[in-house]
Amino acid sequence: MKPSPEMHALAQAHALCQGHLDALHDALSDMRQRALSSSEYEHLSKADRRLLDQFAYRYTRLQDDMGARLMPAILRALGEDVAVMPAFDRFSRLEQLGWLPSADNWNVLRQIRNQFSHDYPESPNERFERLQAAIRAAQQLIDVMAQFESKIHQRFG
C-alpha cells in the first residue's frame, strides 16, 4: 500500500532531522572528549573551530527543521490542519496531544538558539556561557527527538 502524502512528508522530515541528530551526537561526543575550558575558548585551534562550527550548524539545523518541517508533518499526519496555524499554536497543539513536553520550553530553546546563533557578544566569557547554554539546549532537543521517535513508531508503526 502506498503511503499517504502526509506520511511520506513525515518520513522525509523525520529522516532529515535524524541526519542532523546523528551528526549532532557526533559533535557533542567530540566536544565532551575535547572539554574546552573558558580560557581555551578564547584561542581556538583550527580543529576546535571546525568542531564548534559543526556543533553550531547541526544544533541550529536540527531545531529549525524540527520546528519548520517535522512538527507540522506530525500534525498533518495526525489529521490536523496546520495551514494557517502560527508556530506557537503548532507547538501548543503538540503539547496538548502529548507529543511535545512543553510549548513554552520549546520557545525558550528557540531563544537560546537565537542568542547562540545570531548574537555575538564581545566578552569571551559570555560567548563561552552561550555555548554551554546551547549544549544544554541541544541535549533537550535530543530528548524531544527521542520522544517524537517513540511516538511516531507507536502511532504510525
Side-chain angles (χ1 to χ4, degrees):
M1 182 174 171
K2 185 177 177 181
S4 69
E6 293 82 11
M7 290 307 299
H8 182 69
L10 176 58
Q12 284 185 321
H14 181 260
L16 175 68
C17 289
Q18 189 62 48
H20 294 314
L21 180 67
D22 293 343
L24 179 60
H25 272 295
D26 291 343
L28 286 168
S29 175
D30 291 347
M31 289 170 68
R32 278 189 294 275
Q33 288 177 348
R34 175 63 181 92
L36 280 172
S37 69
S38 178
S39 61
E40 290 174 311
Y41 191 67
E42 290 183 59
H43 307 287
L44 296 173
S45 69
K46 188 177 186 179
D48 289 338
R49 280 194 309 276
R50 286 182 177 163
L51 176 57
L52 292 176
D53 285 349
Q54 175 69 359
F55 165 74
Y57 177 75
R58 293 305 179 157
Y59 162 62
T60 57
R61 291 306 314 157
L62 178 59
Q63 185 160 35
D64 288 348
D65 287 339
M66 285 176 73
R69 296 175 188 234
L70 183 58
M71 290 182 189
I74 290 168
L75 287 168
R76 282 191 296 276
L78 292 170
E80 299 284 328
D81 182 11
V82 299
V84 296
M85 194 181 284
F88 187 77
D89 291 349
R90 289 192 307 262
F91 308 149
S92 294
R93 185 66 182 135
L94 283 166
E95 180 182 359
Q96 289 172 347
L97 294 170
W99 283 71
L100 187 64
S102 167
D104 289 332
N105 191 54
W106 184 261
N107 276 334
V108 169
L109 294 176
R110 287 174 64 190
Q111 291 169 356
I112 292 168
R113 194 267 341 257
N114 287 341
Q115 289 174 343
F116 177 71
S117 300
H118 303 299
D119 295 341
Y120 303 101
E122 296 284 325
S123 159
N125 285 338
E126 190 174 353
R127 287 193 306 270
F128 186 75
E129 287 172 14
R130 288 190 181 179
L131 170 64
Q132 298 306 308
I135 291 169
R136 289 187 299 274
Q139 186 55 57
Q140 290 181 48
L141 290 180
I142 291 168
D143 295 344
V144 171
M145 272 298 293
Q147 183 171 340
F148 283 175
E149 179 84 21
S150 174
K151 291 199 172 283
I152 287 169
H153 286 294
Q154 286 174 3
R155 180 72 163 86
F156 304 112

